[in-house]
Amino acid sequence: MKITTFYLTMVPLTSADWPLFQALHTEADVIALCFDPPTKAELQEKFQQRLAPWHNTAEHWLCLTITLRETGQAIGVTGLCLTSGEAEVGYLLLPQFYGRGFGTESLIALVDWATTTQGITKFKAVVTEGNIGSERVLEKVGFNLAAIVPDAHTIAGKRYADHIYHLE
């Protein structure tokens, strides 16, 4: 599978993408409003799970590497996980690619692909309170804030709410 947009190409994660995956899950600027740094074992396990072939009845995440079409440079990952017919979507970008519209472009393409090829019509995303950039991306794609779950989790010893977004 391959999703192509004006600036981006998205293909399934491969074992060669380990350095990118590791950077995205350990870079302080990336994870600050997402999660605490995972242990090496946790990160390896998560990576191995993302390598499994995906189909629309799978219970694991479809993980796609996002690359720039012009240069082939890997800039992040995006994907989805289906539960009861609803796809939770997510993405992580390297900090040097923030604010350039790539999160929005990749998410629009992912939702379009999921709708047209997989028949998925319900989407959700969970954003940590304070992650304004990701909330703006979701709103540009058409997601709406549906719920706020106070004190949903802890990052670096601080409690945060989850902002739950839906797109139907």
Side-chain angles (χ1 to χ4, degrees):
M1 94 169 261
K2 182 178 187 179
I3 301 172
T4 304
T5 69
F6 190 78
Y7 290 109
L8 307 172
T9 300
M10 292 168 277
V11 297
L13 188 76
T14 70
S15 58
D17 295 315
W18 168 249
L20 171 69
F21 194 85
Q22 185 176 32
L24 289 167
H25 288 81
T26 57
E27 171 77 38
D29 289 342
V30 176
I31 67 173
L33 287 174
C34 297
F35 46 81
D36 282 328
T39 66
K40 185 165 182 149
E42 291 168 337
L43 188 55
Q44 279 284 352
E45 180 180 340
K46 186 175 185 177
F47 183 69
Q48 291 302 316
Q49 291 170 348
R50 301 301 194 273
L51 291 174
W54 187 87
H55 47 84
N56 63 8
T57 59
E59 296 182 3
H60 61 274
W61 279 85
L62 164 65
C63 188
L64 305 173
T65 301
I66 305 169
T67 59
L68 296 175
R69 281 183 62 189
E70 190 173 300
T71 65
Q73 181 180 6
I75 65 167
V77 294
T78 189
L80 59 82
C81 186
L82 275 171
T83 306
S84 302
E86 181 177 52
E88 180 175 347
V89 297
Y91 67 92
L92 294 170
L93 295 175
L94 294 171
Q96 61 266 38
F97 299 99
Y98 289 179
R100 295 173 57 185
F102 297 138
T104 303
E105 185 174 332
S106 66
L107 191 53
I108 288 170
L110 178 67
V111 167
D112 181 61
W113 172 84
T115 302
T116 59
T117 69
Q118 305 301 306
I120 301 168
T121 58
K122 295 171 70 176
F123 299 87
K124 84 171 190 178
V126 180
V127 180
T128 303
E129 153 189 26
N131 191 342
I132 308 282
S134 285
E135 291 190 84
R136 286 190 184 134
V137 165
L138 291 169
E139 290 165 357
K140 287 178 190 175
V141 175
F143 283 77
N144 295 300
L145 181 62
I148 296 175
V149 180
D151 296 324
H153 59 274
T154 304
I155 302 172
K158 183 178 176 190
R159 299 293 295 168
Y160 288 91
D162 275 343
H163 292 189
I164 313 295
Y165 281 79
H166 285 137
L167 174 69
E168 293 188 38

